[in-house]
Amino acid sequence: MNFFILISYILVGYSATAEYPTFKSPHTIRGTAQGTTYDIKYYASDQVISKSEVDSIFRVIDESMSLYKPNSLINQFNSRDVKGVKLDAHMYNVVKASFQYYKMTKGYFDITIFPLLKLWGFGPEGFRFNPSESQIDSVRKTVGLDKIKLRKDYLKKRDKYVSIDLNGIAQGYTVDVLSQFIKSRGVDSFIVEVGGEIYAHGIKPSGERYKIEIQRPYSQQIAPYRLELQNKAITTSGSYEKFRILEGNRISHHIDPHTGRPLMNNTLSVTIIANTAMEADALDNYLMYLEPSAAINFIEKKTDCEAYIIYSENNTLKELQSSGFNNYIY
């Protein structure tokens, strides 16, 4: 991970004091899932959540939407021999939201972009070759939400070559599912992190909010941002995550569905604060496609989101943030 965009949470101030009638001690669950790590911390008088329960949630979601599980529901849908599938609850929730984000982002958030991701070497098979213009044009014909139709809980193809990738919001959705599960156990103070995507709920027994740290450009000279979150999610997308060098240029895994080509602009990373991790996940991807000022203008029109952007201008790293972002800095 690049030095200038590290998100972490700070585990301090977790001791309960005698002034609280019910002693709540910290409980931590850690592990690996979805090709990354996860970390959950919650406060309760007893250990009410087990690691096996958390791992079971990951397993069910992966069996639904993981491109790396050969028999997952999404891979069944992506088979050219299949015309459609009946969705389970998890995949239905994510696909339905994807249609909404497609409209909100003017087609930039497009789950049918998977054939282009594979063509450019960002799919599960990895890099094979740099595509030609004719190959790009050919594959682009299979991309677009008009190629699929969601009717109740049935997802149907209108082109047998269409295939989908839900990774753009599936991890954020997973954070939200885990958060809802923890709430269902009566826990009112916790933080969930999966691969750097975070949701913080409630306050600690000490009365403190959860603290999130974001490293900034030239972090040795500039102190990182430290944010306080309560009932909010925070996620980051960046061109540093997955990239290759093509003809001397660094190309990222953000593929423009309108051109069929990797995104090439001066935005390096976008951090979003939102009510849910799935929404933050969708918006941090979309804002990567926009020029920094346009991205901030978009966020300013939303009353429940904030953004922090790192971009390059004249070989210099710069920052831009929405007007309400400062409200989270302590």
Side-chain angles (χ1 to χ4, degrees):
M1 182 174 290
N2 277 21
F3 70 91
F4 57 80
I5 189 64
L6 173 67
I7 290 187
S8 60
Y9 61 89
I10 305 169
L11 301 180
V12 296
Y14 57 77
S15 298
T17 61
E19 63 183 299
Y20 296 94
T22 301
F23 181 84
K24 293 183 178 181
S25 57
H27 302 273
T28 301
I29 302 173
R30 295 188 176 98
T32 58
Q34 298 182 346
T36 186
T37 60
Y38 71 82
D39 199 321
I40 297 171
K41 184 168 186 175
Y42 67 94
Y43 293 86
S45 55
D46 298 302
Q47 185 172 337
V48 296
I49 302 165
S50 68
K51 185 176 185 300
S52 62
E53 289 176 309
V54 172
D55 288 340
S56 177
I57 291 173
F58 278 109
R59 186 165 52 252
V60 170
I61 292 176
D62 283 351
E63 289 172 354
S64 175
M65 296 181 286
S66 172
L67 293 169
Y68 293 88
K69 297 284 185 182
N71 297 320
S72 65
L73 186 57
I74 191 172
N75 278 327
Q76 293 176 39
F77 176 81
N78 286 345
S79 171
R80 292 181 182 177
D81 299 326
V82 173
K83 295 181 179 180
V85 296
K86 181 179 174 64
L87 304 181
D88 59 29
H90 291 305
M91 192 166 166
Y92 171 79
N93 290 337
V94 173
V95 169
K96 183 179 179 181
S98 296
F99 275 86
Q100 297 169 352
Y101 292 129
Y102 178 85
K103 183 177 180 180
M104 180 189 301
T105 64
K106 300 179 181 178
Y108 280 101
F109 186 90
D110 189 339
I111 61 175
T112 67
I113 203 170
F114 190 42
L116 284 169
L117 287 171
K118 291 193 293 183
L119 181 67
W120 283 98
F122 294 109
E125 301 89 353
F127 174 70
R128 293 170 295 170
F129 53 81
N130 290 320
S132 65
E133 288 290 341
S134 60
Q135 288 172 322
I136 295 171
D137 290 340
S138 177
V139 173
R140 276 185 61 203
K141 296 176 182 177
T142 69
V143 173
L145 238 60
D146 59 321
K147 306 294 191 301
I148 59 176
K149 183 177 181 62
L150 180 63
R151 178 168 292 176
K152 293 185 178 180
D153 61 351
Y154 189 82
L155 185 63
K156 179 181 179 181
K157 295 180 184 177
R158 289 173 167 168
D159 184 325
K160 71 176 183 178
Y161 294 105
V162 73
S163 56
I164 63 175
D165 177 0
L166 300 174
N167 286 334
I169 56 174
Q171 199 162 85
Y173 173 78
T174 300
V175 171
D176 293 335
V177 170
L178 289 169
S179 299
Q180 289 301 320
F181 169 71
I182 296 170
K183 289 178 187 177
S184 74
R185 291 298 174 89
V187 178
D188 58 10
S189 175
F190 63 85
I191 186 166
V192 176
E193 180 264 332
V194 180
E197 304 191 357
I198 295 171
Y199 178 82
H201 183 77
I203 59 174
K204 300 177 185 181
S206 62
E208 295 178 295
R209 293 185 176 90
Y210 286 94
K211 296 175 174 60
I212 313 297
E213 187 171 282
I214 305 177
Q215 286 191 334
R216 301 167 65 192
Y218 304 112
S219 58
Q220 292 182 346
Q221 290 81 29
I222 303 176
Y225 275 138
R226 291 184 174 181
L227 313 178
E228 287 187 322
L229 294 186
Q230 181 180 355
N231 305 336
K232 288 287 184 178
I234 184 169
T235 68
T236 291
S237 183
S239 60
Y240 58 84
E241 295 171 316
K242 301 175 185 176
F243 65 90
R244 286 204 332 274
I245 303 299
L246 175 64
E247 298 176 353
N249 296 311
R250 191 170 77 164
I251 62 172
S252 81
H253 69 294
H254 293 90
I255 308 295
D256 187 337
H258 302 101
T259 65
R261 291 185 161 277
L263 177 65
M264 295 182 69
N265 65 12
N266 62 341
T267 299
L268 300 179
S269 71
V270 175
T271 297
I272 296 289
I273 298 173
N275 290 333
T276 68
M278 182 167 68
E279 181 173 29
D281 220 354
L283 295 180
D284 69 26
N285 277 287
Y286 171 50
L287 265 57
M288 285 294 300
Y289 292 96
L290 305 180
E291 288 299 317
S293 59
I296 294 299
N297 287 338
F298 174 85
I299 285 295
E300 294 288 14
K301 296 175 183 177
K302 297 183 65 63
T303 59
D304 55 356
C305 297
E306 302 297 340
Y308 167 66
I309 299 172
I310 298 175
Y311 64 102
S312 175
E313 186 175 87
N314 298 323
N315 295 319
T316 301
L317 294 179
K318 296 188 175 183
E319 305 167 281
L320 200 60
Q321 62 192 50
S322 57
S323 58
F325 187 81
N326 277 338
N327 295 334
Y328 295 91
I329 298 175
Y330 75 95

